[in-house]
């Protein structure tokens, strides 16, 4: 979903640079959100540039720029929730989010893989973590149905520093679950990746 939204945003027409008198044109759409309100055209310059109306408002509100840090995480969460409305009972959603976050942390950092031997085959063996635990964080997460009431997907957006020292945010991971009945109680079981 985020990839589709990103492609759609890249296809938006870009604003033409403003005349020299306004001098706040930018070629990087992600920096448009950082332009202070005082730099907006005044009434006399707005008359000379009527076509500078609001295509950038869609760009400004979409996602925070890469590297924004934890300050950008609430915007990512809001965008996920707006793009994919809730369709699970609150208890199921909480259970799935807890499991999805733990699975992602185990997958990325190697910590806790033994808890899910059916997901992480060979988890008894030593695994070099792909990402450092200190620079790993989940930026946003949602849990939604995945085609039927007994299947769900946890969609996570996260950031981390790999073993090579490269920090990247807005990474996307999906974990799929099926509802199973064990000892008369329904539980969500994570599915191994194929």
């Amino acid at each position: 979903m985020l990839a589709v939204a990103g492609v759609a945003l890249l296809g938006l027409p870009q604003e033409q640079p403003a005349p020299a008198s306004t001098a706040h044109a930018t070629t990087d759409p992600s920096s448009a959100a950082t332009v202070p309100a005082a730099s907006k055209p005044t009434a006399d310059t707005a008359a000379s540039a009527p076509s500078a109306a609001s295509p950038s408002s869609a760009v400004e509100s979409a996602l925070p720029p890469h590297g924004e840090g934890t300050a950008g995480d609430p915007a990512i969460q809001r965008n996920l929730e707006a793009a994919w409305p809730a369709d699970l009972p609150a208890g199921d959603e909480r259970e799935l989010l807890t499991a999805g976050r733990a699975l992602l942390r185990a997958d990325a950092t190697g910590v806790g893989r033994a808890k899910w031997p059916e997901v992480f085959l060979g988890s008894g063996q030593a695994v070099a973590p792909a990402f450092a635990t200190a620079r790993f964080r989940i930026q946003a997460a949602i849990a939604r149905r995945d085609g039927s009431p007994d299947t769900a997907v946890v969609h996570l957006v996260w950031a981390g520093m790999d073993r090579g020292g490269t920090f990247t945010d807005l990474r996307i991971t999906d974990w799929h679950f099926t509802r199973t009945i064990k000892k008369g109680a329904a539980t969500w079981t994570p599915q191994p990746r194929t």
Side-chain angles (χ1 to χ4, degrees):
M1 296 287 288
L2 285 176
V4 172
V7 169
L9 287 175
L10 289 175
L12 287 176
Q14 299 294 320
E15 267 189 57
Q16 296 299 320
S21 64
T22 57
H24 290 299
T26 179
T27 58
D28 180 9
S30 65
S31 66
T34 61
V35 175
S39 69
K40 292 184 180 176
T42 59
D44 59 313
T45 58
S48 65
S51 66
S54 147
S56 69
S57 65
V59 174
E60 288 178 23
S61 65
L63 289 175
H66 284 284
E68 181 76 8
T70 57
D73 294 353
I76 298 168
Q77 182 69 39
R78 283 190 305 274
N79 280 310
L80 267 182
E81 291 170 354
W84 205 348
D87 59 2
L88 287 167
D92 285 343
E93 187 172 5
R94 277 191 303 275
E95 179 182 347
L96 286 161
L97 287 172
T98 299
R101 286 180 175 118
L103 279 163
L104 176 59
R105 185 171 299 282
D107 188 33
T109 67
V111 176
R113 287 185 173 196
K115 183 177 178 183
W116 293 285
E118 68 281 356
V119 175
F120 302 111
L121 302 175
S123 61
Q125 302 170 0
V127 176
F131 292 89
T133 56
R135 295 292 309 267
F136 173 86
R137 84 173 188 279
I138 296 173
Q139 296 178 275
I142 57 171
R144 301 295 186 255
R145 282 195 178 132
D146 190 25
S148 80
D150 291 329
T151 60
V153 61
V154 176
H155 187 76
L156 301 121
V157 181
W158 57 284
M161 182 180 292
D162 64 23
R163 288 186 289 181
T166 303
F167 182 82
T168 308
D169 58 353
L170 298 176
R171 292 175 177 267
I172 300 170
T173 299
D174 287 335
W175 285 102
H176 295 270
F177 292 79
T178 58
R179 187 191 327 251
T180 56
I181 306 295
K182 291 184 181 178
K183 298 181 182 179
T187 186
W188 290 98
T189 304
Q191 300 302 297
R193 294 196 177 162
T194 54

